[in-house]
Short mmCIF file of all heavy atoms in Angstrom, two decimals:
data_model
loop_
_atom_site.label_atom_id
_atom_site.label_comp_id
_atom_site.label_asym_id
_atom_site.label_seq_id
_atom_site.Cartn_x
_atom_site.Cartn_y
_atom_site.Cartn_z
N HIS A 540 -15.30 -18.32 -3.65
CA HIS A 540 -13.90 -18.33 -4.10
C HIS A 540 -13.46 -16.97 -4.65
O HIS A 540 -12.30 -16.81 -5.04
CB HIS A 540 -13.70 -19.37 -5.21
CG HIS A 540 -13.75 -20.77 -4.72
ND1 HIS A 540 -13.95 -21.85 -5.57
CD2 HIS A 540 -13.64 -21.29 -3.47
CE1 HIS A 540 -13.95 -22.97 -4.86
NE2 HIS A 540 -13.77 -22.65 -3.59
N TYR A 541 -14.39 -15.99 -4.71
CA TYR A 541 -14.07 -14.75 -5.43
C TYR A 541 -14.40 -13.49 -4.64
O TYR A 541 -15.29 -13.48 -3.77
CB TYR A 541 -14.85 -14.72 -6.76
CG TYR A 541 -14.46 -15.82 -7.71
CD1 TYR A 541 -15.25 -16.96 -7.85
CD2 TYR A 541 -13.27 -15.74 -8.44
CE1 TYR A 541 -14.88 -17.99 -8.71
CE2 TYR A 541 -12.90 -16.76 -9.31
CZ TYR A 541 -13.70 -17.88 -9.43
OH TYR A 541 -13.32 -18.90 -10.28
N ILE A 542 -13.67 -12.42 -5.00
CA ILE A 542 -14.02 -11.07 -4.58
C ILE A 542 -14.07 -10.21 -5.84
O ILE A 542 -13.49 -10.56 -6.87
CB ILE A 542 -13.00 -10.46 -3.59
CG1 ILE A 542 -11.62 -10.33 -4.24
CG2 ILE A 542 -12.91 -11.27 -2.32
CD1 ILE A 542 -10.64 -9.54 -3.40
N ILE A 543 -14.78 -9.10 -5.76
CA ILE A 543 -14.76 -8.12 -6.84
C ILE A 543 -14.26 -6.80 -6.28
O ILE A 543 -14.49 -6.48 -5.11
CB ILE A 543 -16.14 -7.96 -7.52
CG1 ILE A 543 -17.22 -7.54 -6.52
CG2 ILE A 543 -16.53 -9.24 -8.23
CD1 ILE A 543 -18.56 -7.21 -7.17
N LYS A 544 -13.53 -6.06 -7.11
CA LYS A 544 -12.96 -4.78 -6.66
C LYS A 544 -12.84 -3.84 -7.84
O LYS A 544 -12.64 -4.28 -8.98
CB LYS A 544 -11.59 -5.00 -6.01
CG LYS A 544 -10.58 -5.73 -6.90
CD LYS A 544 -9.20 -5.81 -6.25
CE LYS A 544 -9.15 -6.61 -4.98
NZ LYS A 544 -7.76 -6.79 -4.48
N PRO A 545 -12.96 -2.53 -7.59
CA PRO A 545 -12.78 -1.56 -8.67
C PRO A 545 -11.32 -1.50 -9.10
O PRO A 545 -10.42 -1.81 -8.32
CB PRO A 545 -13.22 -0.23 -8.04
CG PRO A 545 -13.08 -0.44 -6.58
CD PRO A 545 -13.31 -1.88 -6.31
N GLU A 546 -11.10 -1.11 -10.35
CA GLU A 546 -9.74 -1.09 -10.88
C GLU A 546 -8.84 -0.10 -10.15
O GLU A 546 -7.64 -0.32 -10.04
CB GLU A 546 -9.76 -0.74 -12.38
CG GLU A 546 -10.31 -1.84 -13.25
CD GLU A 546 -10.17 -1.53 -14.74
OE1 GLU A 546 -9.47 -0.55 -15.07
OE2 GLU A 546 -10.76 -2.24 -15.56
N ASP A 547 -9.41 1.00 -9.63
CA ASP A 547 -8.51 2.06 -9.18
C ASP A 547 -9.07 2.89 -8.03
O ASP A 547 -9.10 4.11 -8.10
CB ASP A 547 -8.17 2.98 -10.35
CG ASP A 547 -6.82 3.65 -10.17
OD1 ASP A 547 -6.18 3.42 -9.13
OD2 ASP A 547 -6.42 4.41 -11.06
N LEU A 548 -9.53 2.24 -6.96
CA LEU A 548 -9.88 2.94 -5.74
C LEU A 548 -8.97 2.43 -4.63
O LEU A 548 -8.14 1.55 -4.83
CB LEU A 548 -11.35 2.75 -5.38
CG LEU A 548 -12.35 3.44 -6.33
CD1 LEU A 548 -13.77 3.17 -5.88
CD2 LEU A 548 -12.11 4.94 -6.43
N TYR A 549 -9.13 2.96 -3.41
CA TYR A 549 -8.24 2.59 -2.33
C TYR A 549 -9.02 2.46 -1.02
O TYR A 549 -10.21 2.74 -0.95
CB TYR A 549 -7.09 3.60 -2.17
CG TYR A 549 -7.52 5.06 -2.20
CD1 TYR A 549 -7.98 5.68 -1.05
CD2 TYR A 549 -7.47 5.79 -3.38
CE1 TYR A 549 -8.36 7.01 -1.06
CE2 TYR A 549 -7.85 7.13 -3.39
CZ TYR A 549 -8.30 7.73 -2.23
OH TYR A 549 -8.69 9.04 -2.26
N ALA A 550 -8.30 2.02 0.05
CA ALA A 550 -8.88 1.82 1.39
C ALA A 550 -10.00 0.78 1.37
O ALA A 550 -10.94 0.85 2.15
CB ALA A 550 -9.39 3.14 1.97
N SER A 551 -9.91 -0.20 0.45
CA SER A 551 -10.89 -1.28 0.30
C SER A 551 -12.27 -0.77 -0.11
O SER A 551 -13.27 -1.47 0.06
CB SER A 551 -11.01 -2.08 1.61
OG SER A 551 -9.78 -2.70 1.92
N SER A 552 -12.34 0.44 -0.65
CA SER A 552 -13.62 0.97 -1.13
C SER A 552 -14.13 0.13 -2.30
O SER A 552 -13.38 -0.16 -3.23
CB SER A 552 -13.46 2.42 -1.58
OG SER A 552 -13.05 3.24 -0.52
N GLY A 553 -15.40 -0.25 -2.24
CA GLY A 553 -16.01 -0.97 -3.34
C GLY A 553 -15.59 -2.41 -3.48
O GLY A 553 -15.86 -3.04 -4.51
#
Side-chain angles (χ1 to χ4, degrees):
H540 288 162
Y541 296 101
I542 63 171
I543 58 174
K544 56 175 63 173
E546 289 186 11
D547 207 358
L548 291 180
Y549 46 84
S551 297
S552 298

